[in-house]
Amino acid sequence: MKMKKTILSCLLALGFLSVSAQDQQPKTEYVFNPHWYVQIQPLGLQYTLGEVDFGDLNSYSVQAAIGRQLSPIFGLRLAVNAWQSKAGSEINGQTYLWDWKYVAPSLDLTINLSNALCGYNPNRVFNFGLFLGGGANIGFSNDNAADAKNAMNAKYGVNTLEYLWDGTKIRPFAQGGITADFKLSDAISLGVELNANTLSDKYNSKKADNWDWYFNALAGVKINLGPTYTTRIIPAPEPEIRYVEKIVEKVVEVPAPAPAPVIEPLRRDVFFLINKTNIRPEEAQKVKDIADYMREHPTSKVMITGYADAGTGNNKINDRLAAGRADAIVKSLKNDYGIAESRISYDSKGSRVQPFAENDMNRVSICIAE
């Protein structure tokens, strides 16, 4: 009787189930596309640095360019600036002015500071940038300078404009500037540009023993040729469900159960092509091996880890590839072989972990079922 009471009092069991799930939303990833663009800036004002009044040295300026945006931050631009430069001298209160024509092609390195400082965002309305470059200034039609020199020499009897030139002169120049673009659509934006240009002291025909300078303020339109980016939807991970079970031990002595047979785990390495996440036909048998093992052992589970090779791409691209490779195995087990989702775990290491010494072998998902 005492033994029965002891058994009844000790056969108390308690279990509970805890489910923890966090709502997550799919994310949209923007992938930059290298692209060409054309730029037309018909509204321009040039100021040529000089000693006379500011308003006397302003003239009209235009510019056209074709460029290639190589990355979210860096690009190259071939621009042609042209129209007219001015210069002047003042002697005894009398101002003498002259102008000449020029065409100045240049090659510039462009830098998108908004993307560099704030991250890539193709939907940003305002983009601020800068550029550095240089080219050749082709000057011609400098006849007005000769007339001004003759007038000054005749009136004052002094030798002016020691660097007077005629014909066509080609002089190298360096330039730098800033840009501001206002996006109207994916293809079109309005922009303004300020640039400073420096070249030989002989540009304005006056001897000053320093570099000559001219500055341009330009406004116009920029047209992108082709798509500048693509989008990719990253699905939200499935909620993680955790089961916690608690059992009160029985006080009753029972025979020890026979040891469970040892089941060897199964590993399969599914390899992928560069920049691909789809399972190739020659690798599909490995996924079937995992599914057959899990059907044969109903309590088994599988861990899938995706990787990318460190020899190509960058961390952002490789993280996406590694996750996609793991996801491809998960979907195949669920959809093609009916393996329950609760028996599948997965992870992604990107290219930060390299399981194999040979670079190309790291484009892989390693699957371990046990």
Side-chain angles (χ1 to χ4, degrees):
M1 190 65 163
K2 183 177 180 181
M3 184 64 178
K4 289 183 179 180
K5 290 182 178 180
T6 303
I7 295 174
L8 290 176
S9 63
C10 294
L11 290 179
L12 178 63
L14 176 65
F16 63 93
L17 176 65
S18 172
V19 179
S20 173
Q22 180 180 2
D23 292 335
Q24 300 189 41
Q25 299 297 324
K27 296 181 180 179
T28 300
E29 179 184 64
Y30 295 107
V31 181
F32 171 81
N33 289 341
H35 57 277
W36 293 93
Y37 64 86
V38 294
Q39 192 174 35
I40 302 172
Q41 296 165 306
L43 304 176
L45 178 68
Q46 181 181 114
Y47 169 69
T48 309
L49 189 64
E51 298 79 21
V52 298
D53 291 343
F54 176 84
D56 292 332
L57 298 180
N58 290 331
S59 57
Y60 185 62
S61 177
V62 297
Q63 183 166 284
I66 183 169
R68 175 76 170 173
Q69 193 66 35
L70 305 173
S71 73
I73 298 176
F74 296 106
L76 291 175
R77 179 183 75 168
L78 178 62
V80 179
N81 179 257
W83 206 266
Q84 172 179 277
S85 292
K86 289 184 177 182
S89 288
E90 185 173 328
I91 302 178
N92 295 334
Q94 178 68 40
T95 300
Y96 296 87
L97 301 174
W98 59 95
D99 58 67
W100 62 100
K101 301 294 190 296
Y102 76 94
V103 176
S106 66
L107 181 63
D108 304 316
L109 170 69
T110 62
I111 303 172
N112 188 314
L113 291 181
S114 296
N115 286 338
L117 299 177
C118 304
Y120 176 60
N121 180 5
N123 296 319
R124 185 180 290 116
V125 175
F126 173 80
N127 280 282
F128 177 71
L130 58 83
F131 62 90
L132 297 169
N137 183 292
I138 305 169
F140 55 95
S141 298
N142 196 34
D143 299 336
N144 289 342
D147 295 339
K149 177 177 180 177
N150 292 335
M152 288 185 286
N153 291 356
K155 185 170 183 179
Y156 299 105
V158 295
N159 183 25
T160 59
L161 305 189
E162 292 96 327
Y163 288 158
L164 178 66
W165 54 271
D166 59 5
T168 299
K169 298 295 181 181
I170 302 176
R171 299 181 177 92
F173 73 96
Q175 73 167 349
I178 58 176
T179 61
D181 292 319
F182 300 86
K183 177 181 175 181
L184 299 181
S185 68
D186 288 342
I188 299 175
S189 60
L190 298 179
V192 294
E193 173 182 325
L194 300 175
N195 63 52
N197 306 264
T198 184
L199 69 172
S200 166
D201 185 30
K202 297 182 179 181
Y203 183 60
N204 63 5
S205 300
K206 299 170 60 177
K207 183 178 180 180
D209 295 325
N210 53 40
W211 292 80
D212 287 340
W213 290 82
Y214 63 86
F215 307 88
N216 290 308
L218 301 157
V221 63
K222 179 179 177 182
I223 303 172
N224 294 318
L225 305 179
T228 61
Y229 69 95
T230 55
T231 58
R232 177 180 179 272
I233 303 299
I234 302 177
E238 297 291 338
E240 181 182 0
I241 302 177
R242 298 177 181 175
Y243 297 91
V244 180
E245 184 176 348
K246 182 177 181 181
I247 301 175
V248 177
E249 294 183 356
K250 299 177 181 179
V251 178
V252 180
E253 294 184 1
V254 295
V262 177
I263 301 175
E264 294 294 330
L266 176 69
R267 169 173 170 165
R268 290 292 184 267
D269 300 339
V270 182
F271 294 96
F272 296 79
L273 294 176
I274 186 171
N275 203 30
K276 299 294 183 182
T277 60
N278 58 297
I279 302 172
R280 294 178 289 164
E282 57 268 36
E283 297 292 306
Q285 179 61 42
K286 298 177 181 178
V287 183
K288 185 176 183 299
D289 292 346
I290 295 292
D292 292 342
Y293 178 96
M294 299 185 74
R295 288 170 176 166
E296 183 179 353
H297 306 290
T299 61
S300 63
K301 296 185 179 183
V302 63
M303 179 65 191
I304 302 166
T305 307
Y307 299 86
D309 72 283
T312 55
N314 54 44
N315 283 339
K316 184 175 182 181
I317 294 174
N318 289 337
D319 287 344
R320 172 171 54 83
L321 286 172
R325 288 163 180 167
D327 187 57
I329 308 297
V330 173
K331 290 180 178 177
S332 180
L333 289 173
K334 290 166 52 178
N335 301 334
D336 299 336
Y337 300 103
I339 302 302
E341 184 176 341
S342 61
R343 300 175 65 191
I344 303 172
S345 300
Y346 60 93
D347 193 8
S348 169
K349 301 296 186 183
S351 60
R352 297 174 178 86
V353 177
Q354 299 288 274
F356 296 100
E358 184 177 344
N359 181 71
D360 292 356
M361 292 183 66
N362 292 302
R363 305 164 189 151
V364 66
S365 282
I366 297 179
C367 311
I368 301 176
E370 57 185 346

